[in-house]
Amino acid sequence: MESSILESIGTEMIGVMSPVSICMLLVVLLVYTLSSSSDAAIRTAANLVYQETSTDSPTVKLEGALLNALVFVIFITLITFLLVVLYYYNFTNFLKNYMRFSTFFVLGTMGGSIFLSIIQHFSIPVDSITYFLLLFNFTVVGVLSVYSEGMPIVLRQGYMVCLGVIVATWFTKLPEWTTWVLLVALAIYDLVAVLAPGGPLKLLVELASSRDEELPALVYEARPTVSQNERSGRSGLRLMVGGVSDTRSIELQALSRGSVDGSENHGNLEYTAVHVENVEHERNSEVEKLPLVGHLFREGFQSSDGSSSGYSTVVDNRENEIVVEEEMSPLVDMMELGDEREQGGRRDGRENNIIVDKGIKLGLGDFVFYSVLVGRAAMYDLMTVYACYLAIISGLGCTLILLAVCGRALPALPISITLGILFYFLTRLLMEPFVVGTATNLLMF
């Protein structure tokens, strides 16, 4: 019986909420640290039409903020549709190179500016040559971590959080009225783009799903994932089991404890049947190849007494299937091979096509605009920061629960942004005057 995400919703929530909380915390710290040097207005795609000044009336500020938000949403929509068209016509390499260049630009220029502000604020004794060397290494390693296959998942997740912090810190430099109207406009856009028929994000997700490919975007992965039809030349954080394909090459596929059809537990051993379809070679050649793969795994899974706790291969003559005997060890458990949601042995009807259920993913834009809201609240006082943080986390939890129920891609901005803005103004207009008034009159300590 297939497990539901509701059985592990707590783990999924922690895996998503932890990096979001870290990103918001770092943005708040940067806003407090660099507030004195971030007063200068900046010109970005979010305020091309109207540049807010303190002498403008509220009506002028509102009209200008609406125009800025409209232009920014139109710009984002056109860019997203352009990405859909390029992805539809298989310009995948161009999109990947564009994403690499964007990441390099953000880390190198925007991140470098923030690092320089931190160095100047704390008077860190760093010469220009050392600064550029550190920045270059930080940028190159970041691009490799985000887009290379063999990098540790923790390093990739860390750089994704860094990207969110850098972009959100720059967005907090926008004028106040433009920031609030822009957050509302983006929440509405996210709702329409993901759920409406013909929405750009909906088309992009459906196209990627139909091709069984990764979404061509900056997406935070809550846990390590294994792509389909991985070859023996690629390494991952999950344990792999070797099988023989019909092209005389050894294929690797993700294996999960208790999630593959035909598995049977005996004590501390798990027997998993790996079906090999359309095998035209003799069974002797299969038996000769598989121990080589098993030997590679046995090298990395030696027990404390020096004995091997790897795998042995048995050929079942009844149903022409190769049975791989797996002994579970603490290292296997640490690598989360017992996750019941991984369905590594399911097939979609096509030859040698393995489907692997993946963890919850959150777009980098959600990190950015969550943090922008909290960073804007940090410019007022900490009470509004606490209220906005709780509202955003609550909205994200509601979104994850809806994701578990609906089982489809959902926008992550609308609920959290709506609650965050509502709590900000309620706290600023009602709660903060009440708490400060009672505290100053010694009615509440």
Side-chain angles (χ1 to χ4, degrees):
M1 174 179 274
E2 184 176 354
S3 301
S4 172
I5 193 176
L6 291 175
E7 298 180 6
S8 59
I9 191 64
T11 304
E12 300 286 350
M13 285 185 176
I14 293 175
V16 174
M17 291 180 180
S18 297
V20 171
S21 301
I22 294 173
C23 185
M24 290 190 287
L25 175 62
L26 294 178
V27 171
V28 169
L29 293 178
L30 287 176
V31 168
Y32 270 107
T33 302
L34 308 177
S35 59
S36 60
S37 60
S38 61
D39 297 332
I42 60 173
R43 177 73 69 173
T44 64
N47 58 346
L48 289 175
V49 180
Y50 169 72
Q51 189 70 24
E52 182 180 325
T53 59
S54 58
T55 58
D56 294 338
S57 63
T59 303
V60 175
K61 291 181 179 179
L62 180 60
E63 292 177 355
L66 289 174
L67 288 176
N68 285 334
L70 179 62
V71 171
F72 186 74
V73 169
I74 292 175
F75 177 75
I76 293 297
T77 304
L78 293 178
I79 293 298
T80 310
F81 273 114
L82 178 61
L83 293 178
V84 172
V85 172
L86 292 176
Y87 187 65
Y88 179 78
Y89 288 103
N90 293 322
F91 286 92
T92 307
N93 292 330
F94 173 79
L95 292 177
K96 290 181 179 180
N97 293 327
Y98 167 75
M99 298 302 296
R100 292 188 181 98
F101 172 77
S102 301
T103 304
F104 185 87
F105 178 81
V106 170
L107 293 176
T109 59
M110 301 171 66
S113 177
I114 294 175
F115 294 156
L116 185 60
S117 300
I118 295 175
I119 291 173
Q120 293 175 349
H121 182 270
F122 292 102
S123 300
I124 301 175
V126 178
D127 60 278
S128 58
I129 298 178
T130 304
Y131 167 76
F132 282 110
L133 285 177
L134 293 176
L135 180 61
F136 178 77
N137 283 278
F138 173 78
T139 304
V140 172
V141 173
V143 175
L144 294 177
S145 300
V146 174
Y147 298 102
S148 297
E149 297 294 339
M151 303 299 290
I153 188 66
V154 176
L155 190 61
R156 183 174 190 269
Q157 292 173 342
Y159 268 100
M160 292 295 294
V161 173
C162 286
L163 286 171
V165 170
I166 292 172
V167 178
T169 303
W170 274 84
F171 267 95
T172 55
K173 299 180 181 181
L174 294 174
E176 184 176 7
W177 285 74
T178 300
T179 301
W180 293 118
V181 176
L182 183 63
L183 288 174
V184 175
L186 287 174
I188 297 174
Y189 163 77
D190 196 27
L191 186 66
V192 174
V194 176
L195 298 181
L201 295 179
K202 181 181 177 64
L203 293 176
L204 194 61
V205 171
E206 291 178 349
L207 190 59
S209 300
S210 63
R211 296 180 179 180
D212 295 328
E213 296 178 355
E214 293 291 336
L215 194 65
L218 288 173
V219 179
Y220 180 90
E221 300 178 8
R223 58 196 174 95
T225 57
V226 179
S227 60
Q228 303 181 30
N229 292 332
E230 289 191 339
R231 299 294 176 179
S232 59
R234 296 178 57 183
S235 61
L237 292 182
R238 293 191 181 276
L239 193 61
M240 313 296 283
V241 173
V244 181
S245 67
D246 56 353
T247 58
R248 293 185 179 271
S249 63
I250 299 178
E251 288 194 357
L252 297 180
Q253 58 191 22
L255 180 64
S256 302
R257 181 176 55 198
S259 62
V260 185
D261 294 336
S263 62
E264 180 181 1
N265 294 326
H266 298 276
N268 63 341
L269 299 179
E270 182 179 357
Y271 296 86
T272 304
V274 181
H275 294 267
V276 181
E277 300 177 355
N278 300 323
V279 179
E280 298 178 357
H281 314 297
E282 296 182 0
R283 199 170 302 160
N284 295 332
S285 62
E286 297 174 349
V287 177
E288 291 175 358
K289 291 182 180 180
L290 279 176
L292 296 177
V293 182
H295 175 69
L296 294 177
F297 288 115
R298 281 194 287 271
E299 290 181 353
F301 292 91
Q302 297 291 333
S303 60
S304 60
D305 57 354
S307 60
S308 174
S309 58
Y311 303 87
S312 59
T313 305
V314 181
V315 178
D316 192 347
N317 297 325
R318 293 175 299 173
E319 299 179 0
N320 191 22
E321 56 184 34
I322 300 174
V323 181
V324 180
E325 179 180 334
E326 175 188 357
E327 182 177 349
M328 306 305 296
S329 64
L331 181 58
V332 178
D333 295 334
M334 183 186 68
M335 298 167 72
E336 296 182 359
L337 293 175
D339 191 347
E340 295 181 355
R341 296 187 61 249
E342 290 290 335
Q343 302 294 327
R346 294 187 293 123
R347 298 182 178 271
D348 62 349
R350 290 175 293 180
E351 182 177 354
N352 292 330
N353 190 14
I354 309 299
I355 296 180
V356 180
D357 291 339
K358 303 176 181 180
I360 295 177
K361 295 184 178 182
L362 192 64
L364 187 64
D366 302 324
F367 279 79
V368 171
F369 295 110
Y370 291 163
S371 303
V372 168
L373 197 155
V374 177
R376 174 55 61 175
M379 297 180 182
Y380 187 69
D381 67 349
L382 286 178
M383 188 180 301
T384 56
V385 173
Y386 300 147
C388 292
Y389 170 76
L390 294 177
I392 290 173
I393 292 299
S394 300
L396 183 58
C398 294
T399 304
L400 293 178
I401 293 176
L402 290 177
L403 178 65
V405 174
C406 298
R408 53 174 297 185
L410 294 177
L413 284 181
I415 300 178
S416 296
I417 294 297
T418 302
L419 291 178
I421 294 177
L422 179 63
F423 273 58
Y424 172 83
F425 286 103
L426 288 178
T427 304
R428 180 170 179 174
L429 300 177
L430 299 178
M431 186 176 179
E432 192 266 344
F434 172 76
V435 173
V436 173
T438 55
T440 54
N441 290 280
L442 302 179
L443 297 176
M444 184 179 68
F445 296 95

